[in-house]
Amino acid sequence: SLELPMCTSDLSKLWYMPQEAGVNQDYQFYNNDTTPNAFCENSRLIIEVRPTPWQPGKPMYSYSSSMLISKTTFGYGTLKIRAQIPRAKGLWPAIWLLPYQAMRKKGMCAYPDERGCIWPTQGEIDIMETVNDADSMPVFMQTIHFGLPGTPGYPMDPDNQIKYPIPTDAQWWEQPHDYELERTPTTMSMLVDGITTFQVNDSFIQSFLDDEVWGPRRPSSYQHKAMAPFDESNPYNLILNIAVGGTWPCNLYDCNCCPGDRRWPLHNTTINDPPYPRMVIHSIKFDSFDRGTTVSTHVLWMVSAGVCSIILLILVLIAIVRQRYVNYEETSPIIQSPQTNHGSVNVP
């Protein structure tokens, strides 16, 4: 497998770092500075949540965090992220993928719907997201979102998602684990520490889109492509982030810690004092599938640079050998060969 670069002195060379508020009634503001919320430490990538006391005239958020979106895009293959996820009341950490670049640039959208290039028609893949300290939610979720949007006002209902809960215990969060996504032309699987925990195939995708119980789900742009929107024409970006509060921890699985006013910090939680909660990324690896693989220009540059270096080395060696041969001919004494008459042979 190819280990992808994730750390550098300037993270913006490898990651998009949007400076924005969350879209799910979150209590954090995503910071695009490399400190204090996103940085490298001992060759590991860190995202850290910190309290940021609200001041009049400032954005009405009581925490800062980071959302890192890879400039690498991924197609068919196996993506493996080794990570340790924080456990604390009110947190909402996630490892997920979205066709971020296609949704940002006009003309790149693989699967628009009548409203344009937007969620969930473009597809979302959640390898791991959790509100792991809620009493009713001691698990993390693996989910895919796709198809037409859900019921107006509540777009997270079952008509655009397939969700699998993965049970855990308190010790699970105290060490790193391998979170994997495998995509092929006919299947998509997720694995945790090498064990398959989520799997769908093309026929399941098609039956889900055609299910009449929840009404029509198939955008016209999908046509009947087997794995749309999760096929090779739709490269995905990896996203790492930690949200604080929001619709899932505060409402859907009430953590009993959200004050209701995002200017004020959460209560009944450990995240307001050091050590602050961290997502620690140990490594990101990618094994490409034989066909249809899309890897970022960073990876292509690395491979191309390696090939070019080898070719250049060979050319230099050839030039050195050739020059030495020329020098040898110029400095060596000339030996006259005896004249030989090939026209006749003397037979004793």
Side-chain angles (χ1 to χ4, degrees):
S1 62
L2 180 64
E3 186 161 347
L4 303 182
M6 61 180 186
C7 276
T8 180
S9 58
D10 181 3
L11 288 178
S12 65
K13 292 181 178 179
L14 300 175
W15 304 90
Y16 299 110
M17 303 175 67
Q19 181 171 336
E20 60 187 24
V23 297
N24 297 303
Q25 302 177 27
D26 309 337
Y27 281 64
Q28 89 292 329
F29 185 82
Y30 289 124
N31 197 340
N32 65 354
D33 294 336
T34 55
T35 56
N37 300 111
F39 52 91
C40 292
E41 185 177 277
N42 298 324
S43 300
R44 293 171 181 171
L45 182 62
I46 310 292
I47 296 178
E48 186 172 89
V49 170
R50 286 177 172 255
T52 53
W54 176 78
Q55 298 177 5
K58 299 291 185 179
M60 55 178 231
Y61 300 96
S62 47
Y63 297 90
S64 62
S65 183
S66 279
M67 173 181 285
L68 302 181
I69 304 173
S70 69
K71 292 186 176 181
T72 302
T73 57
F74 301 95
Y76 294 147
T78 300
L79 176 64
K80 179 188 290 188
I81 302 98
R82 183 163 183 79
Q84 183 170 354
I85 309 301
R87 179 176 186 261
K89 192 179 289 292
L91 288 187
W92 185 356
I95 301 172
W96 53 302
L97 294 97
L98 201 68
Y100 179 76
Q101 289 171 320
M103 296 176 71
R104 291 174 69 238
K105 296 182 180 179
K106 187 175 181 180
M108 290 185 62
C109 189
Y111 293 107
D113 65 15
E114 291 73 12
R115 303 165 301 158
C117 189
I118 60 175
W119 187 93
T121 307
Q122 281 298 296
E124 174 185 325
I125 305 170
D126 300 323
I127 303 177
M128 190 293 309
E129 63 174 338
T130 184
V131 288
N132 52 27
D133 205 34
D135 293 337
S136 58
M137 196 69 176
V139 302
F140 66 88
M141 306 298 290
Q142 295 180 325
T143 312
I144 57 175
H145 298 272
F146 62 109
L148 290 172
T151 303
Y154 190 50
M156 298 292 285
D157 62 14
D159 58 358
N160 65 38
Q161 65 179 338
I162 301 171
K163 184 184 291 282
Y164 288 8
I166 313 300
T168 67
D169 55 28
Q171 286 70 42
W172 173 268
W173 310 99
E174 295 177 359
Q175 55 190 343
H177 297 276
D178 292 327
Y179 301 92
E180 293 181 63
L181 170 68
E182 292 183 353
R183 293 171 62 200
T184 78
T186 57
T187 62
M188 179 162 53
S189 305
M190 299 187 213
L191 300 86
V192 179
D193 292 338
I195 300 173
T196 301
T197 49
F198 179 110
Q199 189 169 57
V200 294
N201 58 23
D202 51 355
S203 60
F204 186 91
I205 293 286
Q206 296 303 311
S207 64
F208 182 85
L209 291 169
D210 292 332
D211 187 353
E212 297 180 357
V213 174
W214 293 95
R217 293 169 167 157
R218 184 187 299 276
S220 58
S221 61
Y222 285 14
Q223 301 178 28
H224 281 79
K225 296 181 180 179
M227 289 295 289
F230 306 111
D231 60 8
E232 62 186 350
S233 65
N234 203 19
Y236 281 75
N237 301 79
L238 173 65
I239 306 177
L240 310 168
N241 72 287
I242 308 177
V244 180
T247 51
W248 203 18
C250 294
N251 302 333
L252 196 57
Y253 298 98
D254 184 10
C255 65
N256 190 31
C257 60
C258 301
D261 187 332
R262 286 180 283 178
R263 293 174 298 178
W264 310 116
L266 273 60
H267 50 256
N268 298 326
T269 182
T270 59
I271 70 174
N272 297 322
D273 301 301
Y276 299 118
R278 291 179 164 190
M279 177 188 292
V280 182
I281 307 300
H282 291 244
S283 62
I284 300 172
K285 298 180 180 179
F286 186 64
D287 277 332
S288 63
F289 191 70
D290 287 342
R291 81 169 186 59
T293 303
T294 308
V295 183
S296 76
T297 52
H298 292 90
V299 176
L300 293 178
W301 285 342
M302 290 169 62
V303 174
S304 300
V307 172
C308 290
S309 298
I310 293 172
I311 294 174
L312 181 61
L313 178 60
I314 292 172
L315 292 175
V316 170
L317 290 174
I318 291 174
I320 292 172
V321 170
R322 180 177 294 174
Q323 185 62 45
R324 288 185 176 179
Y325 179 77
V326 170
N327 293 340
Y328 175 80
E329 284 193 325
E330 292 176 349
T331 58
S332 298
I334 298 176
I335 301 175
Q336 298 291 340
S337 298
Q339 297 295 322
T340 304
N341 184 357
H342 294 285
S344 63
V345 177
N346 295 322
V347 179

